[in-house]
């Protein structure tokens, strides 16, 4: 999970912070090790990142009163195995972001899976630039939207970090869905979720919407 690259005008790329922003190392467990304990560990790690002023997307003022992210309760029914259908002929394209910047991506493959008893497909992406960096050679980016956006979760959708599997199946753990950094700080430029990656069901897993702490009301003298 990456420290943060400043763009023109002080804007910071969402890709270059933590998570889909920094090194996504081998702490993405293998399917056999997934469970409630791994979900809790993910939550603790993410909260630790947000409290670290060196890598947190929060301002110093926000960090000072940060109570921890608001997560849905861990739910293993949101851990599903997906079939990965690779698309080796896909060409790089420009993915719009929350600013004028365009993020270069290519569709690495299609993920096919069942969730809540229904079949779904999501595109999963790989950055031609990021894959040239050490530690990111097999990193995949899964942005998605669902029916909770704008209510229980961030209106712009959420992200999941993945690694290229050896075979044709991959574990999707929606408990590890997190908000893009622009949900916390407007200085970040974050990829906008493509319309093809919308799930028309609510995904009650992962990080909830961020509610900025309100400043305490001053007492009248």
């Amino acid at each position: 999970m990456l420290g943060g690259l400043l763009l023109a005008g002080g804007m910071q790329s969402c890709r270059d912070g933590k998570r889909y922003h920094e090194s996504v190392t081998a702490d993405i467990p293998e399917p056999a090790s997934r469970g409630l304990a791994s979900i809790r560990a993910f939550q603790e790690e993410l909260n630790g990142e947000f409290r670290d002023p060196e890598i947190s997307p929060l301002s110093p003022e926000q960090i000072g009163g940060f109570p921890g992210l608001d997560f849905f309760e861990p739910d293993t029914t949101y851990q599903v195995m997906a079939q990965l259908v690779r698309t080796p002929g896909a060409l790089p394209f420009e993915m719009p972001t929350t600013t004028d910047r365009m993020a270069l991506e290519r569709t690495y493959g299609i993920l096919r899976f069942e969730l809540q008893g229904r079949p779904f497909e999501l595109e999963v992406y790989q950055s031609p630039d990021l894959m040239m960096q050490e530690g990111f050679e097999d990193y995949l980016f899964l942005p998605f939207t669902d029916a909770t956006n704008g209510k229980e979760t961030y209106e712009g959708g959420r992200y999941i970090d993945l690694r290229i599997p050896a075979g044709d199946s991959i574990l999707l753990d929606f408990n590890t869905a997190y908000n893009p950094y622009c949900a916390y700080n407007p200085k970040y430029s974050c990829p906008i979720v493509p319309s093809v990656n919308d799930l028309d069901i609510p995904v009650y897993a992962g990080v909830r919407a961020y509610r900025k702490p309100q400043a305490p009301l001053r007492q009248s003298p």
Side-chain angles (χ1 to χ4, degrees):
M1 296 170 262
L2 289 176
L5 176 65
L6 285 174
L7 304 175
M11 186 64 65
Q12 203 160 8
S13 169
C14 213
R15 294 211 59 147
D16 303 301
K18 207 72 165 148
R19 292 276 141 212
Y20 171 49
H21 324 289
E22 222 214 355
S23 70
V24 188
T25 54
D27 56 356
I28 299 177
E30 292 299 317
S33 68
R34 288 291 198 181
L36 294 178
S38 69
I39 299 169
R40 295 291 188 192
F42 166 82
Q43 294 178 351
E44 292 176 6
E45 179 187 6
L46 194 56
N47 274 329
E49 293 169 6
F50 272 68
R51 292 189 175 99
D52 185 341
E54 295 297 320
I55 56 178
S56 177
L58 302 178
S59 67
E61 295 75 19
Q62 289 172 303
I63 293 176
F66 180 62
L69 295 170
D70 188 10
F71 296 94
F72 288 102
E73 282 298 312
D75 187 345
T76 57
T77 64
Y78 284 103
Q79 296 176 338
V80 297
M81 293 303 298
Q83 177 191 11
L84 172 61
V85 180
R86 290 172 170 81
T87 53
L91 298 176
F93 68 96
E94 292 185 328
M95 182 179 290
T97 71
T98 51
T99 66
D100 292 337
R101 183 182 69 91
M102 303 297 283
L104 190 65
E105 303 284 347
R106 78 176 187 91
T107 304
Y108 182 84
I110 308 296
L111 299 176
R112 295 174 177 165
F113 59 96
E114 286 193 3
L115 188 62
Q116 299 178 17
R118 291 178 52 192
F120 291 99
E121 289 187 354
L122 292 174
E123 291 184 352
V124 64
Y125 305 103
Q126 184 177 44
S127 166
D129 296 327
L130 196 60
M131 66 185 291
M132 302 302 293
Q133 298 185 30
E134 184 178 356
F136 289 85
E137 298 88 349
D138 61 348
Y139 173 72
L140 297 178
F141 169 51
L142 177 63
F144 73 96
T145 53
D146 68 272
T148 67
N149 299 151
K151 294 173 283 190
E152 294 91 350
T153 63
Y154 175 58
E155 61 185 9
R158 291 176 290 170
Y159 301 162
I160 294 176
D161 296 326
L162 296 171
R163 291 286 189 175
I164 296 174
D168 295 328
S169 62
I170 190 169
L171 177 70
L172 293 186
D173 187 353
F174 288 94
N175 293 279
T176 63
Y178 61 93
N179 295 326
Y181 275 15
C182 51
Y184 308 96
N185 194 324
K187 78 175 183 179
Y188 287 92
S189 172
C190 301
I192 295 173
V193 180
S195 59
V196 295
N197 272 17
D198 180 59
L199 301 174
D200 62 354
I201 58 171
V203 177
Y204 298 118
V207 179
R208 294 176 180 262
Y210 176 63
R211 313 296 182 191
K212 187 175 181 179
Q214 297 295 315
L217 295 175
R218 293 184 177 181
Q219 298 293 328
S220 300

